[in-house]
């Protein structure tokens, strides 16, 4: 299969055009302008709200004028991540895609199918003249990936539909009817730089090649977190060799991604440097065995480094203890039988970066139960406070609770069975969806979420399962005809 054979052609043509447009979170201006001009050039009612969300309305096809209005919704921004050895500017360069068997991938970067493929489906429907539907509102929100601020800033009344289909899910055959709420917790250690004592040898430890993934949807897959792995080595080294000093620690980029790589710089007494290198090699083998199922491409390196100033001892030790101790991964499982044992509450230690006089830490917490989300955030904050850091949690976004009765859900399930001869899976998702915010401003809006299959989103391994796009397209058109 080559790119000219991708089906449905109209969807993949739109996706190719979208991937030519830079659209990092919070810097979607070119995408907003593209969507605005696209809608107006086709004579469609197109509006941009004060936040930068775009809505394009299309009248009903003949015979469907009396139907209720359906909102199709996706987010225009993308997570921007790349391999460490790839030169790429997400503010200028188009995403380079290629076909690998049944998968569409990008060359060394995130693909942007989260949620560019949802945007492409919407544009293809707006552009089609052979799709039967009632009144449509196609909504494109901005800045979903770094805080859902587009949905947060949307005023009540911008959308006027009765049903909403969110096209930001990643497992074809699964219909999502609830999602987790989320908050970010940040911490900051402040310190003074000190000159290293005589007789210290500097070492740089580096780890890369981890699988990473989405901090919500992949948190239950026991994937290695680079921060937690490096913290373990630093903690055991600090306990084993008196006089170890920390100079640098860097890992992770985004609150919603499991960190895939990281590095530290330490100084150890000259007489134990070979012991530390040997410990590193033993530790690497142990960790590789521990994560042999999920992380098969770990790359470890330890080498000598140039001498530099070090972090004052008490702060460095408290920092290392804190990142060794901080919760990471699953905290609680849903007890509601309708949610099939889904993760209820989790935390992801996402990014750490050392500046001249600060260590800044970013983590994210998620839960379908808002009181437990508060508890999880308080746990993280209190741990960092005990270690001497300043810490606080953001306001975050709410969970989306499943409706007891939903005509849209019933229609989506029935049409799926009719098309494919099997039951779809109806469930919640541990990731955050904008539906949670919409449910606050539009309490009567009947919503579901579905989409084609994506894997390893928020990483350079992101890929789209090509045949599922046609399946979602066929399903969505039948839903629009029947609802």
């Amino acid at each position: 299969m080559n790119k000219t054979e991708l089906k449905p052609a109209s969807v993949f043509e739109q996706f190719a055009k979208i991937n030519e447009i830079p659209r990092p979170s919070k810097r979607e201006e070119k995408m907003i302008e593209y969507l605005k001009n696209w809608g107006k050039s086709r004579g469609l009612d197109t509006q941009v709200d004060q936040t930068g969300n775009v809505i394009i309305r299309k009248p009903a096809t003949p015979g469907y004028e009396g139907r209720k209005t359906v909102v199709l919704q996706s987010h225009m921004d993308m997570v921007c991540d790349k391999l460490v050895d790839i030169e790429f500017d997400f503010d200028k360069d188009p995403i380079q895609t290629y076909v690998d068997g049944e998968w569409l991938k990008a060359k060394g970067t995130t693909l942007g199918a989260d949620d560019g493929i949802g945007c492409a489906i919407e544009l293809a429907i707006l552009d089609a003249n052979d799709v039967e539907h009632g009144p449509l509102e196609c909504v494109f929100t901005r800045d979903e990936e770094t805080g859902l601020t587009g949905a947060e800033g949307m005023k009540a009344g911008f959308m006027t539909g009765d049903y909403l289909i969110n096209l930001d899910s990643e497992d074809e055959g699964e219909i999502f009817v609830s999602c987790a709420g989320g908050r970010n917790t940040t911490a900051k250690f402040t310190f003074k730089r000190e000159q290293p004592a005589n007789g210290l040898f500097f070492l740089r430890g580096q780890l890369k090649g981890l699988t990473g993934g989405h901090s919500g949807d992949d948190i239950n897959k026991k994937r290695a977190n680079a921060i937690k792995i490096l913290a373990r080595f630093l903690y055991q080294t600090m306990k084993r060799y008196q006089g170890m000093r920390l100079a640098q620690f860097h890992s992770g980029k985004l609150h919603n991604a499991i960190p895939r790589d990281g590095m530290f710089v330490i100084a150890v007494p000259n007489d134990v440097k070979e012991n530390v290198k040997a410990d590193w090699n033993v530790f690497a083998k142990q960790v590789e065995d521990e994560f042999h199922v999920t992380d098969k491409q770990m790359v470890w390196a330890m080498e000598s480094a140039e001498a530099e100033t070090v972090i004052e001892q008490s702060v460095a030790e408290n920092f290392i203890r804190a990142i060794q101790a901080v919760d990471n991964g699953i905290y609680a499982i849903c007890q509601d039988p309708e949610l099939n044992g889904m993760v209820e509450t989790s935390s992801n230690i996402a990014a750490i970066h050392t500046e001249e006089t600060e260590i800044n830490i970013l983590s994210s917490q998620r839960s379908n139960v808002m009181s437990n989300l508060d508890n999880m955030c308080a746990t993280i904050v209190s741990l960092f406070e005990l270690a001497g850091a300043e810490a606080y949690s953001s306001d975050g976004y709410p969970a989306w609770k499943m409706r007891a009765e939903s005509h849209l859900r019933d229609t989506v399930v029935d049409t799926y069975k009719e098309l494919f001869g099997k039951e779809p899976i109806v469930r919640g998702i541990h990731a955050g969806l904008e539906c949670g915010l919409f449910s606050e401003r539009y309490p009567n809006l009947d919503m579901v979420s579905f989409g084609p299959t994506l894997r390893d989103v928020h990483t350079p391994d992101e890929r789209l399962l090509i045949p599922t796009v046609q399946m979602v397209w066929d399903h969505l058109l039948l839903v629009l005809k029947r609802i």
Side-chain angles (χ1 to χ4, degrees):
M1 182 187 297
N2 59 54
K3 286 199 282 188
T4 62
E5 299 172 324
L6 299 178
K7 304 293 182 182
S10 60
V11 174
F12 281 101
E13 287 167 5
Q14 296 292 347
F15 185 55
K17 293 175 183 176
I18 288 170
N19 268 347
E20 294 177 359
I21 304 167
R23 49 196 174 92
S25 300
K26 300 190 185 300
R27 303 194 300 279
E28 307 96 337
E29 288 76 16
K30 292 179 181 178
M31 186 65 181
I32 293 169
E33 191 68 16
Y34 174 78
L35 291 168
K36 183 172 67 173
N37 293 335
W38 191 98
K40 290 182 176 180
S41 70
R42 287 156 175 79
L44 298 173
D45 178 18
T46 303
Q47 298 176 21
V48 182
D49 73 3
Q50 73 288 345
T51 305
N53 302 307
V54 179
I55 189 167
I56 304 175
R57 295 183 172 91
K58 186 178 182 182
T61 52
Y64 289 78
E65 294 88 352
R67 300 288 184 93
K68 291 184 176 181
T69 299
V70 175
V71 179
L72 303 180
Q73 184 265 323
S74 55
H75 64 84
M76 67 180 81
D77 62 317
M78 65 174 284
V79 168
C80 298
D81 197 9
K82 66 181 185 67
L83 297 176
V84 292
D85 52 355
I86 294 290
E87 291 292 328
F88 192 90
D89 187 342
F90 283 99
D91 287 308
K92 297 178 181 178
D93 300 335
I95 303 296
Q96 301 294 318
T97 63
Y98 67 97
V99 175
D100 182 3
E102 291 190 320
W103 296 92
L104 187 67
K105 301 179 179 180
K107 296 178 180 178
T109 71
T110 39
L111 174 63
D114 174 18
D115 186 26
I117 196 64
C119 296
I121 290 171
E122 290 190 64
L123 293 176
I125 288 175
L126 287 170
D127 219 22
N129 55 20
D130 58 350
V131 174
E132 299 170 287
H133 56 79
L136 288 180
E137 294 182 343
C138 287
V139 174
F140 308 84
T141 52
R142 72 178 305 176
D143 192 29
E144 187 268 353
E145 298 289 5
T146 61
L148 293 89
T149 57
E152 174 70 32
M154 184 187 294
K155 303 293 186 184
F158 185 63
M159 303 185 296
T160 64
D162 302 277
Y163 304 111
L164 183 143
I165 299 173
N166 169 279
L167 296 168
D168 188 25
S169 296
E170 297 158 10
D171 292 277
E172 191 285 320
E174 298 188 2
I175 313 302
F176 294 94
V177 294
S178 74
C179 74
R183 298 169 70 182
N184 290 343
T185 298
T186 59
K188 179 174 71 174
F189 289 87
T190 56
F191 58 86
K192 296 178 181 177
R193 289 271 173 186
E194 299 176 348
Q195 292 298 323
N198 293 329
L200 293 181
F201 188 85
F202 279 78
L203 292 166
R204 178 182 291 106
Q206 293 180 293
L207 173 61
K208 63 180 182 179
L210 305 188
T211 302
H214 191 291
S215 63
D217 206 33
D218 296 321
I219 202 71
N220 62 339
K221 296 181 174 65
K222 201 197 169 221
R223 294 179 180 176
N225 178 309
I227 290 172
K228 293 295 289 183
I229 298 299
L230 295 176
R232 285 164 59 175
F233 182 78
L234 290 179
Y235 181 77
Q236 75 174 35
T237 305
M238 178 180 74
K239 300 293 282 187
R240 190 171 294 170
Y241 304 108
Q242 188 174 10
M244 186 200 89
R245 304 301 300 269
L246 178 66
Q248 301 284 343
F249 191 111
H250 297 280
S251 180
K253 303 179 183 72
L254 306 164
H255 76 97
N256 50 11
I258 300 168
R260 297 178 296 107
D261 51 65
M263 63 81 71
F264 60 74
V265 176
I266 57 174
V268 299
N270 268 312
D271 59 352
V272 301
K273 64 183 180 184
E274 296 304 325
N275 301 53
V276 174
K277 292 178 182 178
D279 291 345
W280 174 261
N281 293 332
V282 171
F283 179 76
K285 295 298 182 185
Q286 293 172 339
V287 172
E288 286 175 354
D289 182 62
E290 182 179 335
F291 293 97
H292 72 278
V293 174
T294 58
D295 295 81
K296 300 178 180 180
Q297 305 296 326
M298 291 185 177
V299 179
W300 303 76
M302 179 166 278
E303 58 190 5
S304 61
E306 293 293 324
E308 59 178 288
T309 56
V310 295
I311 299 167
E312 62 183 286
Q313 188 78 336
S314 60
V315 175
E317 290 182 356
N318 284 341
F319 162 73
I320 292 169
R321 291 188 183 101
I323 57 173
Q324 168 67 37
V326 68
D327 271 293
N328 188 78
I330 298 170
Y331 181 77
I333 297 293
C334 285
Q335 299 302 305
D336 189 335
E338 292 184 335
L339 294 179
N340 301 316
M342 183 183 75
V343 177
E344 178 213 277
T345 305
S346 73
S347 183
N348 175 58
I349 183 77
I352 296 178
H353 292 286
T354 308
E355 309 297 340
E356 183 61 26
T357 60
E358 296 177 357
I359 305 173
N360 292 292
I361 302 167
L362 173 64
S363 67
S364 65
Q365 291 73 47
R366 303 174 187 267
S367 184
N368 288 63
V369 179
M370 297 306 288
S371 60
N372 214 6
L373 178 62
D374 292 340
N375 176 53
M376 185 81 261
C377 291
T379 299
I380 304 299
V381 167
S382 62
L383 181 140
F384 283 117
E385 287 177 337
L386 283 169
E390 300 175 35
Y392 69 93
S393 294
S394 67
D395 293 334
Y397 53 89
W400 166 33
K401 294 188 179 298
M402 182 173 64
R403 291 169 66 109
E405 296 182 1
S406 167
H407 177 60
L408 177 59
R409 179 179 68 228
D410 294 343
T411 302
V412 169
V413 170
D414 290 344
T415 50
Y416 190 90
K417 290 191 291 186
E418 180 181 337
L419 273 176
F420 305 117
K422 59 182 180 180
E423 290 270 358
I425 298 169
V426 178
R427 71 178 190 92
I429 189 171
H430 190 57
L433 293 172
E434 291 155 301
C435 298
L437 287 162
F438 298 149
S439 66
E440 288 192 328
R441 290 174 178 76
Y442 302 86
N444 297 318
L445 191 58
D446 194 355
M447 297 182 286
V448 300
S449 177
F450 61 87
T453 297
L454 299 173
R455 289 293 177 264
D456 294 322
V457 298
H458 300 179
T459 82
D461 294 322
E462 180 186 358
R463 57 197 185 277
L464 168 67
L465 188 57
I466 295 164
T468 64
V469 180
Q470 183 72 61
M471 296 175 72
V472 169
W473 176 258
D474 293 342
H475 185 204
L476 181 58
L477 296 197
L478 188 56
V479 170
L480 294 177
K481 184 176 181 180
R482 294 283 175 80
I483 190 72

